[in-house]
Amino acid sequence: MEQYRAYRTCPLCEATCGLEITLQDGRAVEVSGDKLDVFSHGYLCPKGAALHHLHDDPERLRAPLVKQNGRFVPATWDQAFAAVEAGLKPLVEEYGRDAVAVHMGNPCSHTMAGVLALRPMLKALGSKNIFSSSSVDQLPKHLSCGLMFGHPLTIPVPDVDRTHMLVIIGANPLESNGSLATAPDWPGRLRALKKRGGKLVVIDPLRTRTAELAHQHLAITPGTDALLLMAVVWVLFQENLASLPDAALYRGLEELRRACARFSPEAVAERVGLDAGQIRQLARELASAPSAAVYGRMGTSTVAFGALSSWLVDVVNALTGNLDRPGGAMFATPAHMPLKRKPGGKGWRMGRWQSRVRGLPEVLGELPVCTMCDEMEIGGEGQVRALVTVASNPAMSLPNSRRVNDALAGLDFMVSVDWYVNATTRHAQVILPPTGPLSTAQYDFVFYGMSLRNVAHYSPPVIPKPESELDKWEILYKLAMIFQGQGAGGDVGRMDDFLAAKLVEGAAGKPGSPLSGKQEEIYQALAPYRGLERVLDFMLRTGAYGDGFGLNPPGLNLAKLAKQPHGVDLGPLQPRLPGILRTPSAKVELAPQPLLDDLARLEALLDEPPHNGLLLVGRRHLRTNNYWMANLPTLVAGKPRSVLWMNPADAAPLGVASGDLVQVRSRVGALTVPVEITDKARQGVVSLPHGWGHDLEGVRMSVARAQGGVNSNRLSDDQAMDPLSGNAVLNGIPVVVEAAD
Ligand SMILES: Nc1nc2c(c(=O)[nH]1)N[C@H]1C(S)=C(S)[C@@H](COP(=O)(O)OP(=O)(O)OC[C@H]3O[C@@H](n4cnc5c(=O)[nH]c(N)nc54)[C@H](O)[C@@H]3O)O[C@H]1N2
Ligand SMILES: Nc1nc2c(c(=O)[nH]1)N[C@H]1C(S)=C(S)[C@@H](COP(=O)(O)OP(=O)(O)OC[C@H]3O[C@@H](n4cnc5c(=O)[nH]c(N)nc54)[C@H](O)[C@@H]3O)O[C@H]1N2
Ligand code: SF4
Ligand SMILES: [Mo]
């Protein structure tokens, strides 16, 4: 019984920790933090430590399921793909490609296949009804960065390790481990910031664990961050504190100055729930700190002014001279992306098509999930009749989840690429489970693009993929071939070769490019690899640190990276302006017109009387991962977490005590849940975590079911949206709470 160790990065959240996995007889028996990992240095959280339990979860599907007479039966891959073709082909033929929608979930951004293999599938399908978890999450940030910097993935991150002052708005990295700001060990990084004399401010309606760590906690009224940030901008202008280090790099300063006229600290204070003095102090400290970074996340994006707040975070970073400087908000230089030095480009556009029913604009090739049910339920030409889900649980994760469940139940056909029979996949006719998390390779394309340090890490599979299983990319390519009309019998290898050839021809066929005419050399260099590894090798070689297929021999390629089981450190973040800009002006657009136009809505908020009922916000817990890790006993151990936080002042009139059941009602639904009376929630705010309520008919996640709890999305409203980005509002939902009988 020989033990050995293998290393890989954790695919469960954005922190990308290095794991050391102990194997015995071909099974993983323990997961700990990899002390030699160049980024995480041994840090891990309880979820990473449970990765082998996920791999071995007996309820994680190992083979496809196909529904017969309303019941799932095991099927071979050939049978399952044939069933997909038989289900989808007639629908496409009769109703067109838009009749098939796709919903892609959060784990898609954590897998190589999600990043590289989904796009070919979507292209082959050619439907405009593409949805994803982005529009219940970070779409506003893509929008604001697309408009400001010319590319929606050009997202600045707070340089936490070097900053003198960090302002965290609507994020709770002590539980979430960070988001749109990749770094292992946020707790350690925040403590180090304090230890070196830096200041930490947290703006959050809840006194979260992150807020408890801060020097200052500002308990803001939910949904009002855009007002707060506008007032900060106002102070910066009013007190002549706005200073752009290189004014020639920016456009729109005067427009901004005019735009903030109405938003003085005094004008917004009551609405925001903070003192005007606190707002002034925040602006002054940000301006005077040797370096400072404002960082906003879920609390700034899943709100009615998501795009405005996401934009203003970076406006404040720019105006205080902190954009693109060490200790400020900086851009990563990931190893898989080419380093362009010449600024300028076509800019970024949204609204290239509209949704059929509500006419909502496309953003990033997607339509807002808030209108997915409309497209499914409302008849007419172009109605959605079938759905493909990939690593997602929309029946739980989308607002007004009851309606989503009804809509899914009403579809003609559904196929799910997923590991579990959960609230969503129970509606499917076919479930296609990819191989387990330890049997697939890992490279974090998405998160190295938003990393607090430049690193690269490739992890090969730890446990060989069983013969009978397929990797996710193979499943997605197979679906692509079905959509292309090649049928269920198509050869994945041919599709893979075809896509690789396109990549090579694209690079070598470009006149003037240094690789022009070098097809043969490129093919030869890539010859050891197939599948996604081949694409990764290509990207690394043509990337910022790459060997350029021989143009820069000491540079990086996959073979070199694979020899480094603890990853490669590529150093601290470097200034990237102006080369990174893709705006037609080749400048940072401080005041893009669509955002200026949306300010009228924000001004109107100033004229409304403050909301005097309760507002519901969410919360995350270190041991959860959205809706899908609740089936692992080690992660659900402890006190029940599906509990409503309520301030004592709000609870007193109801005569309820901690542990009592209360009924929570919103415009769309009601649920009953135990209450915990705590001043962690500011007065007027109640909080319920998402991720619970799995005990639905047909769900095969026995541990998660046994936890009970409620799905907070029974309360969130699918009609509440940030109109500019189409993002859902998951925070700041008006609710009524009463004692339950
Ligand atoms: N343990 C764990 N980690 C996770 C996840 C998980 O489910 N569990 N999910 C992952 C995913 S998909 C994501 S997107 C990230 C999210 O990462 P974070 O954004 O860090 O996580 P949240 O807990 O949603 O933090 C949002 C905070 O905003 C506050 N808030 C709510 N409304 C407002 C508001 O109007 N204004 C302000 N200023 N604050 C507000 C909430 O009280 C909450 O503390 O976490 C990731 N990491
Ligand atoms: N009320 C409320 N709702 C929320 C949020 C909130 O804060 N409050 N947060 C929102 C956010 S930020 C997000 S990102 C969404 C998440 O919403 P979703 O992405 O819809 O939900 P997940 O729970 O992440 O579902 C992931 C699914 O993928 C499967 N899976 C995991 N890994 C893999 C894999 O490698 N391959 C395949 N094929 N399948 C895999 C799991 O079995 C699970 O079924 O939820 C959103 N919903
Ligand atoms: S913090 Fe995130 S990446 Fe690190 S071990 Fe936990 S889940 Fe995995
Ligand atoms: Mo998310």
Side-chain angles (χ1 to χ4, degrees), residues 10 12-13 15-17 19 43-45 47-48 177:
C10 175
L12 297 175
C13 89
T16 70
C17 300
L19 305 178
Y43 177 83
L44 92 169
C45 86
K47 292 189 295 297
N177 284 303

Side-chain angles (χ1 to χ4, degrees), residues 503-504 507-508 515 518-527 538 541-542 549:
L503 206 59
V504 176
L515 290 175
K518 296 204 178 202
Q519 276 90 339
E520 269 322 299
E521 288 97 314
I522 301 180
Y523 276 120
Q524 211 164 10
L526 297 177
F538 178 91
R541 286 173 186 267
T542 52
F549 290 102

Side-chain angles (χ1 to χ4, degrees), residues 415-545:
V415 49
S416 291
V417 182
D418 208 289
W419 279 333
Y420 285 101
V421 182
N422 61 25
T424 293
T425 61
R426 67 188 169 134
H427 296 293
Q429 273 68 43
V430 182
I431 305 181
L432 306 168
T435 194
L438 294 178
S439 296
T440 189
Q442 180 79 7
Y443 174 91
D444 275 290
F445 289 99
V446 173
F447 303 112
Y448 291 149
M450 295 180 283
S451 186
L452 301 197
R453 198 174 167 89
N454 294 315
V455 293
H457 200 148
Y458 165 76
S459 321
V462 168
I463 295 174
K465 176 171 75 65
E467 198 71 7
S468 60
E469 298 185 3
L470 293 183
D471 204 304
K472 190 153 95 179
W473 68 270
E474 298 173 290
I475 297 173
L476 296 176
Y477 281 6
K478 201 80 180 180
L479 293 175
M481 287 185 289
I482 293 174
F483 295 142
Q484 272 173 356
Q486 296 185 42
D491 176 5
V492 167
R494 277 186 53 195
M495 169 103 182
D496 177 37
D497 288 341
F498 169 78
L499 290 170
K502 263 182 58 177
L503 206 59
V504 176
E505 295 308 323
K510 209 188 280 166
S513 131
L515 290 175
S516 173
K518 296 204 178 202
Q519 276 90 339
E520 269 322 299
E521 288 97 314
I522 301 180
Y523 276 120
Q524 211 164 10
L526 297 177
Y529 299 109
R530 288 288 176 279
L532 304 185
E533 267 83 358
R534 176 159 57 182
V535 184
L536 173 59
D537 192 29
F538 178 91
M539 293 173 85
L540 289 172
R541 286 173 186 267
T542 52
Y545 315 84

Side-chain angles (χ1 to χ4, degrees), residues 625-687:
N625 200 8
N626 295 322
Y627 300 87
W628 70 277
M629 301 256 308
N631 210 44
L632 307 184
T634 58
L635 294 183
V636 293
K639 282 197 299 184
R641 296 184 204 121
S642 186
V643 171
L644 186 83
W645 282 2
M646 191 173 208
N647 186 277
D650 295 321
L654 307 186
V656 290
S658 284
D660 287 353
L661 289 177
V662 292
Q663 195 200 45
V664 192
R665 273 184 287 120
S666 73
R667 191 192 73 87
V668 301
L671 43 77
T672 302
V673 63
V675 68
E676 179 182 335
I677 296 168
T678 169
D679 66 358
K680 287 182 186 167
R682 71 163 278 162
Q683 199 176 342
V685 172
V686 287
S687 166

Side-chain angles (χ1 to χ4, degrees), residues 215-231:
H215 296 102
Q216 192 183 13
H217 169 215
L218 300 174
I220 193 168
T221 300
T224 64
D225 300 83
L227 286 177
L228 167 74
L229 289 162
M230 253 342 234

